[in-house]
Amino acid sequence: MSVNILRSATGADGTRIVVNENNYAKGLATPVRYVKGVGERRAEQLARLDIHTVGDLLYTLPRRYEDRTQFTRISQLQSGDFATISCAVKACDWVKSRYGKPYFEAMVSDGSGIAHCRWYNAHYLKEQLKVETALVIFGKVSKSRGRISFQHPDFEVGEKGDEESLHMGRVVPIYALTENLQQRSARRIMWNAVNAFIGEVREILPESLLDRLGLLPAQEALSTVHFPETLARARAARYRLVFEEFLCVQLVLVARKIHSEQVLVGTAHNIVGRLKDSFVDSLPFELTGAQKRVIEEIENDMRKPRPMHRLLQGDVGSGKTVVAASALLDAIECECQGTVMTPTEILARQHYVSFKEYLEPLGLRVLLLTSDLSAARRKEVLPRIKDGWYHLVVGTHALIEDRVQFKKLGLAVIDEQHKFGVEQRGELYGKAHNPDVLVMTATPIPRTLAMTLYGDLDVSIVDEMPTGRKETVTRVIKEDQLPDAYGFIRKQVAKGRQAYIVYPLVSESDKLELKSAEEMFRHLRGEVFHDESVGLLHGQMPSGEKAAVMDLFKNGELDILVATTVIEVGVDVPNATVMLIENAERFGLAQLHQLRGRIGRGAHKSFCVLQGSPTTLDSWKRLKVMEKTTDGFVIAEEDMKIRGMGNLLGREQSGFPALRVGDPLGDSDILLDARREAFTIVESDPKMTKPEFEGLRSRARALYKLVGPFVRVG
């Protein structure tokens, strides 16, 4: 079978595993060091690219191609073009630049003109290049004062066999590299791997599907994608490989979705809506159209006799909590209990305060359950959860402890669910017989990524902000502008406002030259903000101390809160109007957007200042995106384009398979094709028992072991 989903992977428990089914081609699990041209040193370099086996190597596709099949005459070269020329050396030697740095220069000609080629740190060329040596050269053309030149071009000497002509006179693959690994070496290693192991790749797609969709066979696709004859052939090969990867993932997700819709029996909530209506009528504001639409979608789901599995997306401040409260009230009205699980104690306390304010006036009892609850208090409340005395339990991971039992859990809400692992979510679902589940996130997820991560869920989006919500002004500054930023904070505090100053580290690090919250707290309190009250908050503080600091800030007794990303979610202080994030280049865009969402929550204009010292163009691009927009979905897509899908998922999603060849954002059309085909297959043969689906079924089962879905496929 083909092996493009995962050859090696990090399992949910953090261990390195290799998928190795009985019919799995063991040759593809061969350690990459045994490929000709690799060895131990190269294997260490490839490991930095997450390449450990032959399968990993073969399914590391080129990131782009260069068409070196078309030759250009030297007389026709234009500055800035990438071009291939066939020529001969007319003169060559070592030359010293005016700055004293030596380089090797060759003057070449094809009869129509002269070009100068320059290479630095290339001592081997003195022996390799001689006068009249025939060359094929590829590189970027520079033209100045009539002189044509190439800086460090790629080249080949004379006429060579297939292996030596990997770099010229053809469509050439360009791979993602790591330190000390050059393109020429990478291509030669890949050539050796393809020739030695392509026969181990087996077909898992049914022949009927290949014919119907016009897809290349697996072996042909894999060899073609690395060494195509034309760019069109490269595109066709890549489509087939990406389609297969997406199809295997979607089969698991679609099977889960169809199983939950057609097989699982849940609770059909006979919702009247008295509690919800009383709650909505008590609100001091009108629900947005998006909130009303999503509440109706959730109610329709909860009325059905199958368990609801719904993803609720909404930008920071869009009012998801009100939507969740409405759903919980519907479950409680139907004599069920509800629970809300959050990843941090700060967020749990924030939700507890909100839900207590919403539900207690309706005569309902709400409990906060976290790990710091005393043994005596825990002994008191656990029986009351079990006998149904508490209508709603809000908590952290403490909710999934074995001793926590519900009388009848009707709705489980998981907030910032991407911060939980697969097992933790599954343990919460296991607290009842197929409860309704609402997972929420304020980290906007592009549609195609949502289909990849949560293709088994229905999706609701709160895409409208409440009336009167102030937009936050964002500016990017450099290190030398920090005194001005501090001065601006002082002015805001003088007006009665409050501010956050955020750092990436808790304490100083010998390995990272970054500012830390503890270090800067001492500096800011002692040397910068003499007349302001400054507090410190970070995740390593004891729970009681964190809660005390947050209470001081909420009550206005602290003007400035120096913090880490512990304030990323669950902090709501309407009077805080300024956020300064130092070393902002160290954060992802989604995280910066979440942090920025802590301000702009009141009636006053708010300001977010990002101090960065980016060393790459991508880092600057990311920060500039924050200046241009406050739309979380736009930011999420830009983050995904720049950083890639894997970096966005983070270690918390280790139970989900890393995509090696597909890009849900760039390959959205292929993803949609694969999802449609997955529905066709599962609807026609839910357990894929037909012989033609044997390969796909085996791959789905292997994925099941990694993904840990709630229902078994096949």
Side-chain angles (χ1 to χ4, degrees), residues 42-152:
R42 284 274 190 243
E44 291 177 4
Q45 294 172 347
L46 292 171
R48 292 199 290 269
L49 296 171
D50 200 26
I51 297 172
H52 306 271
T53 68
V54 170
D56 292 337
L57 179 65
L58 290 178
Y59 285 91
T60 299
L61 305 192
R63 58 186 177 91
R64 63 182 177 88
Y65 300 90
E66 289 176 352
D67 188 348
R68 302 182 184 180
T69 61
Q70 304 299 316
F71 290 86
T72 305
R73 303 288 286 172
I74 291 177
S75 60
Q76 298 173 332
L77 294 175
Q78 299 296 319
S79 184
D81 288 351
F82 284 88
T84 306
I85 62 172
S86 178
C87 55
V89 177
K90 296 303 178 184
C92 58
D93 207 347
W94 282 98
V95 179
K96 271 194 176 182
S97 71
R98 54 182 172 177
Y99 303 108
K101 187 176 182 179
Y103 59 87
F104 191 82
E105 184 173 55
M107 185 174 70
V108 301
S109 174
D110 65 354
S112 73
I114 298 291
H116 297 262
C117 302
R118 181 179 296 183
W119 294 271
Y120 290 93
N121 301 317
H123 302 285
Y124 58 90
L125 292 181
K126 180 69 174 176
E127 297 300 321
Q128 195 169 355
L129 299 186
K130 307 290 184 182
V131 174
E132 297 304 326
T133 299
L135 292 180
V136 175
I137 287 175
F138 176 85
K140 187 176 182 179
V141 179
S142 296
K143 202 170 185 179
S144 177
R145 297 179 182 178
R147 178 186 171 108
I148 296 171
S149 60
F150 291 87
Q151 294 287 336
H152 223 290

Side-chain angles (χ1 to χ4, degrees), residues 35 70 76 109 117 231 313 336 346 376 404-405 463 482 526 678:
V35 174
Q70 304 299 316
Q76 298 173 332
S109 174
C117 302
L231 290 174
Q313 288 196 72
C336 293
I346 288 179
V404 178
Q405 298 179 37
D463 52 6
L482 275 175

Side-chain angles (χ1 to χ4, degrees), residues 480-510:
D480 58 6
Q481 295 173 284
L482 275 175
D484 294 335
Y486 295 150
F488 180 73
I489 289 174
R490 277 193 292 270
K491 290 177 181 177
Q492 287 290 301
V493 170
K495 292 180 181 180
R497 312 288 173 257
Q498 293 167 275
Y500 301 97
I501 303 180
V502 182
Y503 296 95
L505 300 179
V506 171
S507 53
E508 294 181 74
S509 168
D510 295 331

Side-chain angles (χ1 to χ4, degrees), residues 306-326:
R306 64 166 178 82
M308 174 180 73
H309 290 144
R310 186 167 286 274
L311 171 68
L312 174 59
Q313 288 196 72
D315 217 335
V316 176
S318 60
K320 298 182 301 300
T321 304
V322 170
V323 172
S326 299

Side-chain angles (χ1 to χ4, degrees), residues 587-608:
F587 301 94
L589 282 185
Q591 195 169 38
L592 290 175
H593 182 60
Q594 283 276 27
L595 287 167
R596 180 170 61 182
R598 299 308 103 204
I599 58 175
R601 307 177 80 85
H604 305 288
K605 188 174 183 178
S606 294
F607 306 87
C608 180

Side-chain angles (χ1 to χ4, degrees), residues 41 290 328 371 576:
R41 185 175 65 85
L328 288 163
S371 58

Side-chain angles (χ1 to χ4, degrees), residues 36 38 50 84 112 133 147 157 192 502 539 565 581 644 712:
K36 181 181 177 182
V38 179
D50 200 26
T84 306
S112 73
T133 299
R147 178 186 171 108
V157 177
N192 293 335
V502 182
T565 55
I581 304 175
R712 188 177 297 274

Side-chain angles (χ1 to χ4, degrees), residues 276 279 320-330 355 358-359:
K276 181 204 68 179
F279 161 63
K320 298 182 301 300
T321 304
V322 170
V323 172
S326 299
L328 288 163
L329 287 169
D330 284 339
F355 286 117
Y358 292 157
L359 272 60

